[in-house]
Amino acid sequence: MATTDIERGLSTAEVEERIAAGKINRNMELKTKSVRELIIENLCTLFNLINVVLAILVIMTGSFKNLTFLFVVFLNTAIGVIQSMRSKKMVDKLTLLTSKKAIAVRDGAEVELDLDQIVLDDIIRLGRGDQIPADAVVVSGEALVNESLLTGESDLIKKQPGSDLMSGSFIDSGLLRARVVHVGADNYVAKINNEAKYVKKVNSEIMNALNAIVRFASVIMIPLGLALFASSVSGLWDAAGTPGDSALSWCFSELLAGRVPSSALLSTVGALLGMIPQGLVLLTSSVLAIATVRLARCKVLAQQLYCIETLARVDVLCLDKTGTITSGRMEVEGTYPLPVEGVSLAPDEAPVPVDTTVLDFALANVARATSADANETCQALLNYYADRPVEVSEPLSVIPFSSSKKWSGASFAQGSYVMGAAQFVLSERIFAQVENRVAELADTCRVLVVARVDGFTPDGDMVGEAEPVGFVTIRDEIRTSAAETIGYFNEQGVTLNVISGDDPRTVSSIARVVGVPGADAYVDATTLDTPSKIDAAVDRYHVFGRVTPQQKRELVQALKSRGHTVAMTGDGVNDVLALKEADCSVAMAAGSDAARNVAEIVLVDNDFASMPAVVAEGRRSINNLQRSASLFLTKTLFSMGLAALCIALPPYPFEPIQMTLINFFCIGAPGFVLGLEPNNARVKGSFLTNVLKRALPASVAVILAAALDIFVARVFGFSQLTLSTMCLLTSCAASVSLIWRISQPLTPLRVVLFVFVVVGILVGVIGFPELLSIANLSMGEAIILLVIVVFTCGVFFKLATMMDSLKPRRRHAATGFGRGVRVRLGRGGGKVSSTGSTAERFAKRLAADMAQRREDRTAREAEARALEGVEKTQPKKKKGAGVKRSRVTKSAQGIKVSMPSKKKK
């Protein structure tokens, strides 16, 4: 491996040589999808394809007024695109908060570079608050590094010459120079991100149900459509006097002559449109879009519409400790003074104030004296004593914290004190006296001893034997809302697992504090060195420590293989693989770019307490959509049944204007009202099963009623207008019965809705008979209609009762439309999934080609950016002045960026 002069760095020629060889720090972060990808993703769907084909058929007839159904298609697509764009914009804004500059040494001068202008073997300078831009090895200096976003380990790691630095970690304190050893795809962060670059399939029952309905409809529509069209053409052929050899040859001759059988096409398209649940697709998009807007007010960003539903169905929640249960900062758990009676003061020492303990005086003033380069421990003490009345004493001398000494100290008029690890501060004799107390306190916290000394030497060493005055315990700051939020999930029957890269004892103690069940039993993941051990540990433990990123993913996979719906929370690069694998992933806004970009839900205010709000929105969406979907699916099912019935018994009984009355009063209005009302009941059962249980009785009742109407009309010779009227009213009766049933239990809003539906239908039938093509029924026809209405309602309620009595079966559906089924077998059970249709495989190939072209374009741009960095070194070298730059630090709000001020010209 090449060596680089620490003081001189790389020369311009050496930099250009590495750029030519491609050894540049290409940006390998997981990025959000491009605008074009988002538009294509929402535009190229089977639902849109079916509607476009139907629209082309309508355009062929020249009846452009019948293209109004495309408005629903446009609105549904627009909702999806706008929501995706909104999420992309928010995540891109959060990404801008991270460090984008670094200081490198080139040709003997320090120059400021963008991260993608760094090359292999560059010497970079890193100080407090800097984020490490690439994997490197320390060549000079020392520092404490925070690697929590990468490993989950909350303790600071000491780095000295020869130590490895991982890209993405932060310098907490100290100053060093390091040589870059990996760039671009070879960096630690890039390798983890690269494993997460597969397309994650959304695990949403609602989406799967809608897709299944659309796929089923698309399969049924082809034979039914052809049969209906043939039946309509046959009718036109009879009306034309049966010219030619057959109806088929006559139809072809008409088409060749430019005469499109418009009435046949329009009637076919009208029947087929009834089979597509357009309103249900639009309602689902609208309800979930409204849910994302509501969550945005709670500082929760839903990057994908259906993730809200998925979280509401979760039965296992995997929590990362750092950043989720804890804030990522340290806090003082408590102070424990020791008796100090009998300690004599030196002649020139002032006494400690009477109302303050020696321990509090020493802690507060040593922390203030060393605050210039405060680490997390010092900052925790400063926060603890910020509002406590401890006298401020001016330090006479200060000994900053040293990673080699493991303590800091200061001298005051009231004496000299040190603070640090007991093993390093106290002598063996004194430490033996307090060892048991230290061990007792260290069970859940980090323990520091505060001791009195005689003074300090000019080299910063202690004078005399340290006498302890007390202890202070420091722990990860637990979010104030963590216990309440975890209690909520416990009440909801959700299994909680804490998975962290930190020490398992620390993780267990924090899990106990916030109330995680089974927190006493924990496992060190370093012992889980085989897949079988990981698989066994999933059933036995709920607290996992020292977990690697790959093990986190394997734990999630093991849970999913048992049939669980798994959610994962995290904020670091070490969580990315598990976030990608989980059914629903939740990231903190203050975490890494990669975690935010792969997560479906981002907590913008970094508050875990927002999770119950997401569950509540999911429950409201699922439960209400189950009610409303039954109305839309009823129309889809009875449209299919009537189409099949009318092939044998033409004509189709409904006129288009009559369907408008049903669509508005029996489906549209009640569907949207019920879809948006409050509902926090627990989600039970499968979405599609629950919807079919409600929709099938009404659909069967309508089809039986229509068949009975057609039979009666043929027996008694009723007109087509009378038949249409009877079918309309019997269908409305079944729909009103369904609305009554799904409105249970009744609320004031549902009572008003039911009255509105009934009155609306009556007003339309009685007040606008000509507009709605309503026949003036005779007494005999009215009595027959009343009997059929009673029969229809009776059939509906009987079938509905039978459906309710069916016991749900616990099963997992095996999906495989078109091209077969993929089966994976393992110890935890089998997994069955679809290989995808031809269109799906084509879309995947197209996406892969686009990704490859994007990678090639990124490589070219990276080379150009690196060359720009070479040009920057020339003016920087001439000035020789210090370079002002932005600084990135971890703050209470997440990531804090300090920008240099610009002087006005």
Side-chain angles (χ1 to χ4, degrees), residues 559-876:
L559 289 166
K560 290 175 65 177
S561 70
R562 286 158 169 75
H564 294 296
T565 302
V566 183
M568 176 74 195
T569 68
D571 65 343
V573 175
N574 63 316
D575 301 316
V576 168
L577 299 181
L579 289 172
K580 193 79 174 183
E581 184 66 31
D583 295 306
C584 182
S585 51
V586 183
M588 302 292 171
S592 66
D593 292 350
R596 289 196 300 270
N597 290 345
V598 302
E600 285 105 354
I601 296 174
V602 178
L603 304 181
V604 179
D605 59 355
N606 306 301
D607 191 355
F608 182 51
S610 303
M611 294 280 283
V614 183
V615 175
E617 280 298 329
R619 287 180 173 180
R620 184 189 62 79
S621 301
I622 297 171
N623 291 324
N624 290 343
L625 280 174
Q626 285 182 165
R627 294 176 185 274
S628 302
S630 59
L631 297 173
F632 292 92
L633 196 57
T634 296
K635 178 192 170 186
T636 298
L637 294 175
F638 83 63
S639 294
M640 291 179 182
L642 280 180
L645 180 66
C646 293
I647 292 173
L649 300 172
Y652 195 75
F654 291 106
E655 294 190 14
I657 191 65
Q658 293 173 336
M659 290 303 297
T660 302
L661 182 72
I662 294 176
N663 286 338
F664 182 78
F665 285 106
C666 298
I667 300 175
F672 273 85
V673 171
L674 293 174
L676 297 175
E677 66 174 348
N679 192 327
N680 290 324
R682 285 193 188 185
V683 177
K684 298 179 180 179
S686 165
F687 178 83
L688 186 57
T689 301
N690 291 339
V691 172
L692 285 174
K693 278 186 175 182
R694 293 188 173 106
L696 273 176
S699 302
V700 172
V702 170
I703 294 172
L704 290 177
L708 193 56
D709 289 334
I710 294 172
F711 173 77
V712 170
R714 292 201 171 198
V715 169
F716 293 100
F718 293 162
S719 67
Q720 175 64 28
L721 186 63
T722 301
L723 173 60
S724 296
T725 302
M726 294 175 67
C727 287
L728 171 66
L729 293 176
T730 51
S731 299
C732 287
S735 298
V736 168
S737 300
L738 176 59
I739 294 171
W740 170 264
R741 188 166 183 82
I742 65 176
S743 296
Q744 305 298 321
L746 291 175
T747 63
L749 176 63
R750 294 175 185 176
V751 171
V752 171
L753 173 65
F754 185 78
V755 172
F756 170 79
V757 169
V758 174
V759 172
I761 293 173
L762 293 177
V763 169
V765 171
I766 298 173
F768 304 93
E770 294 184 4
L771 177 65
L772 297 175
S773 300
I774 303 297
N776 187 13
L777 301 179
S778 65
M779 180 61 69
E781 293 170 340
I783 292 174
I784 292 174
L785 174 61
L786 180 61
V787 172
I788 296 176
V789 166
V790 173
F791 168 78
T792 302
C793 295
V795 168
F796 166 76
F797 283 107
K798 181 64 176 178
L799 290 175
T801 303
M802 291 174 59
M803 284 291 181
D804 289 343
S805 64
L806 294 177
K807 294 182 179 180
R809 292 185 298 170
R810 293 184 59 86
R811 64 186 182 88
H812 300 284
T815 60
F817 292 89
R819 286 301 187 111
V821 174
R822 178 190 297 115
V823 181
R824 293 174 181 161
L825 298 177
R827 296 182 181 87
K831 181 178 181 181
V832 184
S833 61
S834 171
T835 60
S837 64
T838 301
E840 288 173 329
R841 292 197 299 275
F842 174 76
K844 290 177 181 178
R845 287 198 301 271
L846 182 62
D849 291 341
M850 291 174 62
Q852 184 59 50
R853 288 195 294 270
R854 187 165 57 249
E855 291 262 353
D856 295 340
R857 185 172 63 251
T858 302
R860 292 192 297 270
E861 292 173 353
E863 183 173 344
R865 292 282 298 157
L867 288 172
E868 289 178 16
V870 176
E871 296 174 2
K872 288 182 180 181
T873 63
Q874 305 306 320
K876 296 290 182 183

Side-chain angles (χ1 to χ4, degrees), residues 258-402:
R259 294 187 291 270
V260 179
S262 301
S263 59
L265 272 179
L266 286 177
S267 62
T268 302
V269 170
L272 295 180
L273 280 174
M275 302 179 194
I276 305 173
Q278 286 182 317
L280 176 57
V281 174
L282 178 60
L283 174 65
T284 302
S285 299
S286 302
V287 168
L288 295 177
I290 291 172
T292 63
V293 173
R294 288 177 173 173
L295 289 176
R297 296 172 184 166
C298 302
K299 303 296 182 183
V300 176
L301 173 63
Q303 300 197 75
Q304 201 259 42
L305 285 177
Y306 292 94
C307 66
I308 303 171
E309 174 229 348
T310 307
L311 184 59
R313 293 185 182 277
V314 160
D315 59 354
V316 176
L317 177 59
C318 296
L319 303 169
D320 177 46
K321 177 185 72 69
T322 306
T324 302
I325 299 176
T326 65
S327 65
R329 299 185 298 272
M330 307 302 290
E331 67 175 355
V332 175
E333 185 273 337
T335 57
Y336 304 89
L338 293 174
V340 293
E341 291 82 359
V343 177
S344 59
L345 299 177
D348 57 344
E349 284 186 11
V352 172
V354 178
D355 57 348
T356 304
T357 65
V358 175
L359 176 61
D360 285 334
F361 174 84
L363 281 172
N365 284 286
V366 170
R368 291 164 185 159
T370 58
S371 62
D373 190 24
N375 56 24
E376 289 188 339
T377 300
C378 182
Q379 190 60 53
L381 289 168
L382 291 172
N383 294 338
Y384 182 76
Y385 286 105
D387 55 355
R388 284 174 169 78
V390 177
E391 179 182 318
V392 178
S393 182
E394 194 68 27
L396 304 178
S397 63
V398 178
I399 308 299
F401 177 81
S402 167

Side-chain angles (χ1 to χ4, degrees), residues 13-253:
E14 289 173 326
V15 172
E16 291 176 346
E17 178 185 340
R18 284 161 173 77
I19 292 174
K23 298 176 180 179
I24 50 180
N25 195 42
R26 289 174 53 192
N27 186 352
M28 302 299 293
E29 293 176 351
L30 291 174
K31 300 180 180 67
T32 54
K33 294 180 181 179
S34 66
V35 174
R36 182 174 65 176
E37 288 175 321
L38 292 176
I39 293 176
I40 291 175
E41 185 180 83
N42 287 278
L43 196 60
C44 298
T45 63
L46 178 61
F47 174 77
N48 287 353
L49 176 62
I50 293 173
N51 282 280
V52 168
V53 171
L54 294 179
I56 293 173
L57 295 177
V58 172
I59 292 173
M60 289 173 60
T61 68
S63 180
F64 298 105
K65 67 178 183 179
N66 285 301
L67 290 173
T68 52
F69 67 90
L70 287 178
F71 175 73
V72 173
V73 179
F74 170 78
L75 198 58
N76 181 66
T77 303
I79 290 173
V81 171
I82 291 172
Q83 171 60 22
S84 300
M85 293 287 291
R86 173 178 164 273
S87 299
K88 171 182 169 59
K89 183 179 179 182
M90 178 66 74
V91 173
D92 287 345
K93 278 185 178 180
L94 293 172
T95 302
L96 292 176
L97 293 177
T98 56
S99 172
K100 298 297 178 185
K101 299 289 183 181
I103 294 295
V105 180
R106 290 184 178 177
D107 289 319
E110 291 186 349
V111 294
E112 184 182 53
L113 299 174
D114 291 327
L115 302 189
D116 53 4
Q117 293 173 339
I118 296 172
V119 301
L120 190 67
D121 295 323
D122 253 330
I123 298 296
I124 54 177
R125 191 197 74 184
L126 300 167
R128 181 171 177 266
D130 288 335
Q131 188 173 22
I132 299 170
D135 293 350
V137 172
V138 179
V139 293
S140 68
E142 290 186 357
L144 291 177
V145 177
N146 184 340
E147 297 180 347
S148 61
L149 287 181
L150 302 177
T151 64
E153 173 65 67
S154 59
D155 292 337
L156 300 178
I157 310 299
K158 178 186 176 183
K159 301 293 181 179
Q160 52 193 3
S163 299
D164 292 326
L165 299 175
M166 290 190 291
S167 55
S169 52
F170 282 86
I171 303 295
D172 184 75
S173 62
L175 184 66
L176 54 78
R177 286 190 178 187
R179 178 173 56 82
V180 174
V181 294
H182 292 144
V183 290
D186 293 328
N187 280 322
Y188 175 78
V189 171
K191 289 179 180 179
I192 292 181
N193 288 347
N194 189 56
E195 291 188 53
K197 281 187 177 179
Y198 61 89
V199 177
K200 175 181 174 180
K201 183 180 178 181
V202 178
N203 182 17
S204 164
E205 281 200 27
I206 293 179
M207 187 182 73
N208 293 338
L210 289 178
N211 289 339
I213 293 169
V214 172
R215 283 195 293 262
F216 178 74
S218 66
V219 172
I220 295 297
M221 285 170 64
I222 296 175
L224 283 182
L226 291 175
L228 277 174
F229 181 72
S231 178
S232 299
V233 169
S234 178
L236 292 175
W237 181 57
D238 289 336
T242 64
D245 296 332
S246 64
L248 183 62
S249 62
W250 173 79
C251 179
F252 275 117
S253 64

